[in-house]
Amino acid sequence: MTRRPAIRVSTLLTALLVVGTATVAVPDPARAAAPATVCRVRDGRLTEISGMVATDSGFVMVNDGADDASRRRIFFLDARCAVVRTVAYPSRPRDTEDLALGADGTVWVADTGDNDRTRSTVALWKLAPGTRRPVLHRLTYPDGAHDAEALLLDGAGRPVVVTKQGGSAGVYLPAGPLRVGATVPLTLAGQVRLPLTTTPNPYSFFGRRLVTGGAVAPDGRRVVLRTYADAFEYEVTDGDVVAALTGGTPRTVPLPDEPQGESVSYSRDGRFLLTVSETAGQPPGTLPTVLRYARPSAGSTATPAGSSPPAPTASDRAPTASSGAPAAASPGAAPAPAPRGDVGATRSLLLGVGVIGVGLLLAALVGVVRSRRTRR
């Protein structure tokens, strides 16, 4: 089923209060290079794509929790986005949200979605090369239920789960080796706070604050998290993905106006970011489209609010045949997204001040309501 972002009151307040101290990501949607269209998914079973990884031969994709049994599978696609085989689960997953690809070709599926925060355990499915069924590993959080839509693998091959929450997202690691038939506790390894951007998206401010997917580059030297609006890339040292996320400064790639962007992957050569959106609930005939974005340049990091953005460099522009990078596909190339005007660090700063005011007003209203209830 198509779901809009699950946002609770506590999440709203946290996100509102974080705005005042957040940094503003420099890249501007109006200046960003338009993505190239790689291919379109025409299989009717893949309309709620929540996870994608690129492989040497194409892609692997999963839907989020689907009511239709035919959609609850791991889908293998070729380079043209045609489904070539599927793998069923031995039991029904709850809400599959992301994918990761191990160095040995193992496919990891994050069954970690929990919009209502009611699950006592979450799970990872592990499909080793040459096997016909994924193996289930159960996990539990140390601090209550969380919704999570991003799965990463660090340099040691350990799964890293990043939660979907406004403000600071939790970064969790298994406390020990995964064991079939056992529930392994997770530990909170840190938090990641994403820069504030102005990128247009269907969910406005909140779409810029919620982590909906992640990926690690094939060489392990970079890691990316995405929201409904942007991708944030961090440098990784010695395979320490957690340290990169919790202590690094990201480079930003705007992903403006994707219908419901929940997936991100690196291309197999590591030179591009690939995304795909859910299309359930979109106008009839809308097909999930794999888009290719140029990776950010080394200088495109987030800067404090009020700073002036630098001029775009050559690596910020769309790849061309003369530059040695693959040229953007001309017949099906996606047009440059039309900016909607909410650009510029100054405007973001004013927005932040306004949102803080709204947050304080909400807090005051909550206080009034509570005081009235106390007097009763």
Side-chain angles (χ1 to χ4, degrees):
M1 57 185 173
T2 303
R3 297 162 292 107
R4 300 187 70 84
I7 304 174
R8 299 190 300 179
V9 173
S10 59
T11 301
L12 290 174
L13 292 174
T14 301
L16 287 168
L17 294 176
V18 166
V19 173
T21 57
T23 57
V24 175
V26 167
D28 186 318
R31 303 158 65 101
T37 295
V38 177
C39 56
R40 291 184 170 88
V41 181
R42 301 182 182 278
D43 193 303
R45 295 171 295 179
L46 280 166
T47 60
E48 300 177 81
I49 300 171
S50 58
M52 173 183 69
V53 291
T55 66
D56 292 335
S57 59
F59 309 94
V60 185
M61 299 183 184
V62 292
N63 291 300
D64 64 14
D67 295 330
D68 188 342
S70 68
R71 300 181 182 182
R72 294 195 300 268
R73 290 175 173 266
I74 303 172
F75 293 83
F76 290 79
L77 295 79
D78 63 19
R80 296 184 177 182
C81 285
V83 175
V84 293
R85 73 182 180 102
T86 66
V87 174
Y89 300 94
S91 59
R92 180 170 180 168
R94 292 280 298 276
D95 193 352
T96 54
E97 290 289 358
D98 203 10
L99 290 170
L101 188 66
D104 63 350
T106 295
V107 174
W108 293 76
V109 182
D111 186 358
T112 55
D114 190 11
N115 289 336
D116 298 323
R117 282 44 167 207
T118 58
R119 297 179 63 172
S120 59
T121 64
V122 293
L124 300 177
W125 297 87
K126 186 177 178 182
L127 180 66
T131 59
R132 297 183 177 181
R133 289 288 184 271
V135 176
L136 177 66
H137 297 280
R138 294 194 180 278
L139 304 163
T140 185
Y141 290 103
D143 50 0
H146 296 281
D147 188 23
E149 297 189 3
L151 175 65
L152 309 163
L153 297 176
D154 68 11
R158 292 184 304 173
V160 180
V161 176
V162 182
T163 61
K164 179 183 182 181
Q165 59 196 64
S168 297
V171 181
Y172 291 84
L173 287 170
L178 302 183
R179 302 190 304 275
V180 177
T183 299
V184 175
L186 290 163
T187 59
L188 178 61
Q191 293 183 319
V192 56
R193 178 170 293 180
L194 300 178
L196 177 65
T197 75
T198 59
T199 307
N201 69 95
Y203 309 116
S204 189
F205 168 76
F206 299 103
R208 304 178 192 122
R209 309 302 295 153
L210 303 173
V211 175
T212 63
V216 176
D219 63 5
R221 296 179 181 178
R222 299 176 304 280
V223 61
V224 64
L225 295 177
R226 74 158 297 166
T227 64
Y228 289 105
D230 304 278
F232 301 94
E233 184 183 62
Y234 300 78
E235 294 290 333
V236 178
T237 303
D238 298 327
D240 195 339
V241 169
V242 172
L245 295 178
T246 58
T249 300
R251 296 185 290 268
T252 307
V253 178
L255 312 174
D257 297 316
E258 293 193 357
Q260 188 169 330
E262 297 194 2
S263 304
V264 66
S265 175
Y266 281 92
S267 59
R268 290 304 293 162
D269 60 9
R271 297 170 61 188
F272 301 97
L273 295 178
L274 306 174
T275 70
V276 68
S277 287
E278 291 194 20
T279 56
Q282 297 300 311
T286 304
L287 297 175
T289 303
V290 177
L291 299 175
R292 184 184 69 205
Y293 292 84
R295 284 187 48 246
S297 62
S300 58
T301 54
T303 59
S307 299
S308 299
T313 64
S315 59
D316 290 323
R317 302 188 183 101
T320 62
S322 60
S323 67
S330 53
R340 286 189 276 203
D342 61 339
V343 297
T346 302
R347 191 168 299 180
S348 297
L349 181 59
L350 294 175
L351 174 64
V353 173
V355 172
I356 291 174
V358 173
L360 294 175
L361 178 60
L362 287 174
L365 291 174
V366 171
V368 170
V369 171
R370 287 180 176 173
S371 64
R372 288 180 177 177
R373 288 178 177 175
T374 301
R375 287 198 296 268
R376 289 175 184 176

